[in-house]
Amino acid sequence: MASRSVSETATAVALPAHRDTNVLRWLAAFTFSMVGDSVYYIALSWAAVQTGTPSQAGLVMTASALPRALLMLGGGVIADRLGPRRVVIGSDAVRCAAVLAVAALLVLTSPGLWPLALLALVFGTVDAVFLPAVGALPARVTNRDQLARVQGMRGLAIRFASVVGGPLGGLGVALGGATAAFGLAGLLIAVSVPLLVSVRIRELPPDDTVGTHNATARQDLVAGLRHIRRHPVLAPLMAAIALGDLGFVGPLNVGLTLLCDERGWGAAGMGWVLAGFGVGAGAASLLLTVRGRLPHAGRVAGWSILAGSVAVGTLAFAPTVVLAVGTALLIGLLTGLSGAMCGALLQTHADPAYLGRVTAVSSLVSLGLTPLSMPLSATAIGAWGTGPVFVVSALVCGLGGVVALAVPGLRRAELPR
């Protein structure tokens, strides 16, 4: 039995990721989980709006943000200590149980906002360990030379979930209200659990885990942060990701809404612009999935961030919705490419034993800190208009590209062959 397992693992490693059934099982599990998340957020927002006032609904929708931001770094330590697959399986099981429990509660009674707020808090807490573990898992299911392709496959799954999850959630609400939508979300997340159980995990080299279980959680966290700070690629990469996201999130979220309202394009116009962005980002993920590796990864990431920042600044001056859609498609392509390359570099240059903590820092920047730019962007647009704010945001985003190209370690970084 042991010799057959080693042989199967060697065969799996030799296969390209898109033909490896082990990787495909992981991808299917990830996709079901992400679609379930999308349906869950539709159900939560609908239930909150139907149950409380708009301000109360807003509080419920943001209830998960605080525990996710506060606990994310600790979640990275847990992912590295317990192993990412175990953490992802446990996280999906808890999220599934919580969503189905709320669905059952809504069938039996009308409990008000408190179970929705509690569910949001549970999701945020579980996300704090789920997100670092999800980021650390690909390194355990495939070889290093396939991690860039896996990053592209993961990007395609995220785009698929965003396209399919919204309509599925809306259909669930239309057919059976929030109860049916919550039930559907729970079932979709549940499907991921047996798929993850069937995924084979590659063991880490013994050197990488020495001392991990003898140290305290605080020592593990400090060691992870030290690993990033001293690494010639990871340290500037985190700075490039932070600056790129800070300059990108505000304009492409609240800024786009205000721009479309200002130009009279309406919700339909905003939908077309977002669709253009999604198509561009999906094309970038598909490129990396097909190619598997792009040479000069550090330079590609840096120049893509710079070019994408120019496109972000240009979007505010698009005179028609058609040109705005074209610009958004270009933004999606460039930022999708830079994001995929940054993610692939993070996956391939971080020591696997630290990958949960490295992913936690990256996720904290992207999901915990950069959303703060949205209210700042809205306030600034109200004071100075869309054009100046988009330009300033583009400059901040462009600084990420400057960091990537100015620091030799990141500029010369390559993906494994």
Side-chain angles (χ1 to χ4, degrees):
M1 177 67 72
S3 61
R4 185 176 64 183
S5 175
V6 170
S7 173
E8 288 173 354
T9 301
T11 301
V13 167
L15 288 172
H18 61 286
R19 293 171 53 197
D20 184 349
T21 55
N22 193 51
V23 175
L24 294 177
R25 284 195 296 272
W26 161 81
L27 183 67
F30 179 73
T31 304
F32 273 107
S33 183
M34 290 298 99
V35 174
D37 275 4
S38 296
V39 175
Y40 155 75
Y41 282 111
I42 295 292
L44 183 66
S45 62
W46 180 264
V49 168
Q50 294 298 308
T51 306
T53 66
S55 60
Q56 290 173 329
L59 289 174
V60 169
M61 292 302 297
T62 58
S64 61
L66 186 60
R68 184 170 59 200
L70 292 177
L71 302 175
M72 185 78 75
L73 295 180
V77 173
I78 293 172
D80 285 334
R81 283 194 160 210
L82 301 182
R85 184 180 68 165
R86 185 183 303 175
V87 172
V88 172
I89 290 172
S91 300
D92 271 349
V94 171
R95 297 194 305 164
C96 173
V99 172
L100 291 179
V102 170
L105 190 62
L106 291 176
V107 170
L108 298 174
T109 184
S110 299
L113 283 173
W114 71 263
L116 302 179
L118 181 60
L119 177 61
L121 286 171
V122 169
F123 246 74
T125 303
V126 174
D127 271 352
V129 294
F130 174 78
L131 292 171
V134 163
L137 194 53
R140 311 289 185 102
V141 301
T142 191
N143 207 9
R144 288 183 73 251
D145 63 349
Q146 293 298 311
L147 284 174
R149 177 173 275 123
V150 167
Q151 193 68 18
M153 295 165 68
R154 183 183 177 190
L156 288 174
I158 292 171
R159 296 300 158 198
F160 175 82
S162 65
V163 170
V164 172
L168 271 181
L171 180 63
V173 169
L175 294 178
T179 303
F182 277 129
L184 177 59
L187 292 176
L188 287 166
I189 296 172
V191 172
S192 70
V193 175
L195 287 169
L196 285 168
V197 170
S198 69
V199 171
R200 298 188 306 274
I201 296 297
R202 298 172 65 248
E203 293 298 324
L204 295 177
D207 303 0
D208 292 334
T209 56
V210 170
T212 298
H213 298 291
N214 297 326
T216 65
R218 182 180 180 278
Q219 289 171 330
D220 276 354
L221 177 58
V222 171
L225 296 175
R226 187 184 300 119
H227 176 64
I228 295 171
R229 181 171 57 85
R230 294 179 176 177
H231 200 285
V233 173
L234 295 179
L237 183 60
M238 290 297 179
I241 291 172
L243 289 167
D245 283 351
L246 280 170
F248 170 78
V249 170
L252 263 295
N253 285 275
V254 64
L256 178 60
T257 303
L258 296 173
L259 176 65
C260 290
D261 181 65
E262 178 184 290
R263 298 294 173 84
W265 296 339
M270 185 176 70
W272 279 109
V273 174
L274 288 174
F277 169 78
V279 170
S285 295
L286 182 60
L287 172 65
L288 199 55
T289 300
V290 172
R291 289 292 302 273
R293 178 185 183 276
L294 294 178
H296 312 299
R299 288 186 176 88
V300 170
W303 285 113
S304 297
I305 294 173
L306 276 177
S309 69
V310 173
V312 167
T314 303
L315 181 62
F317 303 96
T320 66
V321 70
V322 173
L323 288 175
V325 170
T327 305
L329 192 149
L330 183 61
I331 293 172
L333 181 64
L334 292 168
T335 57
L337 180 60
S338 63
M341 298 305 289
C342 288
L345 286 169
L346 185 149
Q347 288 278 324
T348 55
H349 283 77
D351 188 309
Y354 293 99
L355 197 47
R357 282 161 282 182
V358 171
T359 305
V361 173
S362 175
S363 299
L364 178 62
V365 169
S366 298
L367 300 175
L369 301 181
T370 55
L372 297 176
S373 66
M374 289 191 282
L376 292 176
S377 295
T379 303
I381 288 173
W384 297 295
T386 53
V389 173
F390 269 68
V391 169
V392 171
S393 297
L395 290 174
V396 173
C397 184
L399 285 176
V402 171
V403 169
L405 296 173
V407 179
L410 180 52
R411 184 179 69 247
R412 298 168 185 163
E414 294 281 2
L415 298 175
R417 295 182 181 276

